[in-house]
Amino acid sequence: MTENTENFEALLDQSLKKIKNFEGKVVNGKVISIDHNHALIDVGLKSEGRVSMDELRFCDKEKEIKVGDKIDVFVERVEDKNGEAVLSREKAKKEVAFDAFNQLLEKDKAIDGKIYGKVKGGYTVDIDGVITFLPGSQVDIKPVKDINHLIEQKLSFKVLKIDKERGNIVISRKAFLEESFKKNLKDVKKNLKEG
């Protein structure tokens, strides 16, 4: 082997390690331009990536994203067929949120969110910009045919299951309501006296 070949192999190894260090990770990027549909974000790779403005508006309701802003994004792939990095703001928020949701699950605590859409088998719920899944059977204690009165209302939920590999967080309003009902029943029984 020549010295040039060894140098090339070393450079290639370094480059591949850098790629592996980015893919599947949350990294901080800088918004370098915005058009009507996408924000172009530089995360320190050889090419930038795009995130749809709809995704940014959903995940960052509290502030408007502008050129120069630094935001966390999830690197799905370092390069797609167009040579751009494949980035996701939603997956970055979910990745960061997994720890918080795990703590809620372990401590059996409730969290507030809003039902905003219907999907196969249930509903999507926005919890601080993180999309979670509410199975149809977990909407209420008794079966509910029409949930229109619940859409966009601030409601409390319990975390049922977290599947980090698939990126799913399953929640339940039913579990929260059952717990509240049991607690209220206990309080009522405590305050009841003979006669």
Side-chain angles (χ1 to χ4, degrees):
M1 252 202 267
T2 67
E3 192 177 319
N4 284 342
T5 306
E6 286 174 9
N7 286 343
F8 177 74
E9 282 181 12
L11 287 172
L12 184 62
D13 280 349
Q14 276 183 322
S15 180
L16 290 173
K17 279 181 187 169
K18 185 176 182 182
I19 287 170
K20 285 182 180 156
N21 286 339
F22 272 87
E23 280 189 359
K25 300 255 178 13
V26 175
V27 297
N28 193 262
K30 184 177 181 182
V31 179
I32 55 174
S33 72
I34 294 176
D35 63 26
H36 293 294
N37 300 319
H38 294 91
L40 194 62
I41 300 171
D42 180 7
V43 292
L45 294 167
K46 74 175 185 181
S47 61
E48 295 84 18
R50 295 181 189 279
V51 176
S52 80
M53 289 306 295
D54 288 340
E55 184 177 349
L56 289 172
R57 282 185 205 106
F58 178 82
C59 292
D60 297 285
K61 292 179 197 76
E62 65 278 357
K63 70 174 203 151
E64 186 181 332
I65 301 295
K66 302 180 296 302
V67 172
D69 285 352
K70 296 215 177 242
I71 60 170
D72 288 337
V73 289
F74 183 84
V75 180
E76 293 184 55
R77 273 195 321 278
V78 169
E79 201 174 316
D80 66 4
K81 64 182 186 220
N82 299 322
E84 291 183 339
V86 180
L87 308 174
S88 171
R89 177 70 176 135
E90 179 200 335
K91 286 184 179 176
K93 284 203 86 156
K94 207 172 239 185
E95 195 70 22
V96 170
F98 276 123
D99 290 337
F101 279 98
N102 263 325
Q103 286 182 2
L104 289 170
L105 181 61
E106 286 170 14
K107 294 177 180 177
D108 197 30
K109 295 212 180 228
I111 189 163
D112 293 338
K114 290 182 180 181
I115 300 172
Y116 73 90
K118 185 169 178 47
V119 292
K120 186 179 178 183
Y123 304 92
T124 49
V125 178
D126 172 12
I127 298 179
D128 294 328
V130 176
I131 298 170
T132 60
F133 175 67
L134 173 66
S137 63
Q138 298 297 316
V139 173
D140 208 325
I141 294 172
K142 55 189 185 299
V144 180
K145 293 238 188 260
D146 182 20
I147 70 148
N148 283 334
H149 64 287
L150 297 174
I151 292 178
E152 289 297 322
Q153 299 296 317
K154 188 176 177 183
L155 304 168
S156 295
F157 302 91
K158 290 283 191 122
V159 179
L160 287 186
K161 186 174 108 181
I162 297 169
D163 185 347
K164 193 170 181 179
E165 226 170 78
R166 288 184 172 171
N168 293 336
I169 300 168
V170 181
I171 58 170
S172 170
R173 181 169 174 259
K174 179 181 177 180
F176 172 78
L177 292 173
E178 286 174 341
E179 184 181 282
S180 296
F181 179 75
K182 285 177 187 171
K183 187 179 176 206
N184 288 341
L185 190 62
K186 221 185 238 184
D187 290 346
V188 167
K189 283 182 179 179
K190 233 190 329 189
N191 293 326
L192 283 178
K193 292 178 184 140
E194 262 188 64

